[in-house]
Amino acid sequence: VTITSTHNSQLKELRRLTARRRARDLAGRFVAEGEDLLAAADAHGWPAVERYSAAGSGLGGRGWVEIEPALLAEISELGSGTRALAVYETRWAPAPVGPLCVHLHGVGDPGNVGTILRSAAAFGAASVSFGPGCADPFGPKAVRASMGAVFEVALARTDELAQLPRPTVALVADPDSAQPLHALTLDGPSATLLIGAEREGLPAEIVDGADLVARIPIATHSLNAAMAATVALYETSRRMARG
Ligand SMILES: C[S@@+](CC[C@H](N)C(=O)[O-])C[C@H]1O[C@@H](n2cnc3c(N)ncnc32)[C@H](O)[C@@H]1O
């Protein structure tokens, strides 16, 4: 069967899941697109609920549903190039886990969230934790930017620093309030890096409640949140591995 009508109910559901966070939360489902992401899900044992391919693409098989390419392009982040997408159940870990964890507070840009997931996986972080005001890691832009890491790193939600693996390290751009990250003693078995919002940074109560406060010494005022997380993950994972 090929979906050829824009009013098809499966297509409508795909549109809802890609367009609206609330629809994803209610359904507990999200969409990933592109053969690489589908392969990443398979590699990490994350089964698809439904699989769709562009009619005539030669992709697919038993259990796949074909969609007219123009209709698939409408719901795609990638536009007319998309050949495959699939629906997955969202998974939230009951709590953030270590040894290494990244906690985000107010990181609202989905591209940054996805990039941080990708870096977290690259540097062996066990989980990424989401505080208030963050973009949905299961949204299409974040999933895309994660390059499959959304299927690899445990995702958790918490507002409480007490739930995070310790020590908690607040990353701040302000040179006067923090030691350089490389000067901290980080040789214990675990740590959590706290990353703040693009405009406001971390709120004072988070910085005050953190075990340690650190900055990455740079020549300008600040790095983008995902870049700062990546540099901090490099430094911290290297030192934890040595310690
Ligand atoms: C664009 S920055 C926020 C800048 C914000 N205007 C401020 O002054 O805090 C976004 C986040 O990236 C991290 N960050 C950026 N540059 C950093 C640096 N040089 N050292 C440590 N963290 C940094 C912090 O966690 C910050 O909350």
Side-chain angles (χ1 to χ4, degrees), residues 17 25 45 73 75 78 115 141 149 160 193 212 233 235 237 240:
L17 291 177
D25 285 346
I75 44 171
L78 304 173
T115 303
K141 287 200 170 70
E160 294 176 34
L193 302 170
L212 300 165
L233 276 162
E235 178 68 10
S237 61
M240 282 174 54

Side-chain angles (χ1 to χ4, degrees), residues 171-174 194-202 214-218 221-225 228:
L171 271 302
V172 299
D174 178 2
L194 311 175
I195 301 290
E198 203 55 40
R199 195 180 294 262
E200 299 87 10
L202 285 168
R215 68 186 163 87
I216 300 160
I218 51 172
H221 174 62
S222 71
L223 294 164
N224 146 294

Side-chain angles (χ1 to χ4, degrees), residues 103-129:
H103 176 72
L104 309 182
H105 190 106
V107 178
D109 181 279
N112 279 344
V113 165
T115 303
I116 290 169
L117 294 180
R118 185 177 180 180
S119 291
F123 290 108
S127 69
V128 174
S129 157

Side-chain angles (χ1 to χ4, degrees), residues 48-103:
V49 182
E50 293 155 3
R51 291 178 193 265
Y52 297 89
S53 64
S57 66
L59 290 175
R62 261 189 57 206
W64 287 65
V65 177
E66 290 197 334
I67 306 185
E68 201 60 48
L71 293 177
L72 192 60
E74 271 176 28
I75 44 171
S76 161
E77 276 289 303
L78 304 173
S80 56
T82 286
R83 291 161 22 114
L85 56 78
V87 176
Y88 297 92
E89 305 269 352
T90 57
R91 287 185 192 171
W92 290 102
V97 290
L100 184 53
C101 171
V102 181
H103 176 72

Side-chain angles (χ1 to χ4, degrees), residues 24 41 69 98 111 131 142 158 162 170 180 187 208 227:
R24 290 190 291 276
T158 184
D187 52 4
D208 293 346
M227 295 304 116

